[in-house]
Amino acid sequence: MTQQKSGLVPGILMGLVAMLVGAGVHGAVIGVTEYNLGIVAVLVGVLVGLGMTAVKPSSAVLPSLAALFGLVGAALGTTIGVIALTVKADPGTGYVTAARTVVTQFDRVIQADLVVVLFWVISAVAAFAFVNKRVKAVRAAQAAAAEPPAAPPQEPVDLFTPRNR
């Protein structure tokens, strides 16, 4: 009997890498364009979902983790972008000082534009949807492979007609 792998650890690792890469790209886009483009936040979730589905996951935990990684990645990208904008506005401010300022006043950053939070949620939903669909497909394929072959059809037996001996 062979043990099926769930893809939990590789899925988590791929999700974390995709989250960090997506957050970096999101922050860079905000820093360069000086706009918080919501579609980039959603793309963080899509990147997390695609990264986690690449390992053929079958663990039921991964869709929820993908949603969490999508949400955190989008929020982290926004934070990185606001830090970059803070340094850009005042070149004398270092990145560490700007990071402290942004993190301590993070609630003000969110309250300034609540639509940003909506895009974070959409990012989480996108990541969840990608991974959940893949997990269901992998589980269905595993269940189909584990089923024993069907018995050949038998001829119907008529119990109501007399038999000639």
Side-chain angles (χ1 to χ4, degrees):
M1 183 172 152
T2 61
Q3 185 177 4
Q4 305 256 341
K5 295 186 179 189
S6 68
L8 181 64
V9 173
I12 290 172
L13 292 176
M14 287 298 293
L16 284 172
V17 168
M19 176 189 76
L20 293 173
V21 169
V25 169
H26 185 206
V29 167
I30 292 171
V32 169
T33 64
E34 298 183 7
Y35 290 105
N36 192 354
L37 302 173
I39 190 70
V40 180
V42 174
L43 290 177
V44 172
V46 171
L47 185 65
V48 168
L50 290 174
M52 291 178 85
T53 59
V55 297
K56 295 184 181 180
S58 64
S59 175
V61 176
L62 286 176
S64 299
L65 286 175
L68 178 67
F69 292 163
L71 181 70
V72 170
L76 184 62
T78 301
T79 305
I80 292 169
V82 172
I83 291 169
L85 290 178
T86 303
V87 171
K88 200 177 207 182
D90 185 15
T93 305
Y95 282 97
V96 175
T97 306
R100 270 193 224 123
T101 304
V102 170
V103 170
T104 57
Q105 298 178 359
F106 193 69
D107 58 334
R108 291 184 188 171
V109 172
I110 293 172
Q111 289 173 357
D113 191 10
L114 288 175
V115 175
V116 171
V117 178
L118 174 67
F119 283 108
W120 295 353
V121 171
I122 293 171
S123 173
V125 169
F128 178 86
F130 272 96
V131 177
N132 191 42
K133 183 178 178 182
R134 181 66 171 177
V135 166
K136 285 183 177 180
V138 169
R139 285 183 163 219
Q142 288 175 349
E147 287 181 6
Q154 298 178 354
E155 292 187 29
V157 177
D158 186 11
L159 299 175
F160 298 105
T161 58
R163 291 188 222 165
N164 294 333
R165 289 191 180 204

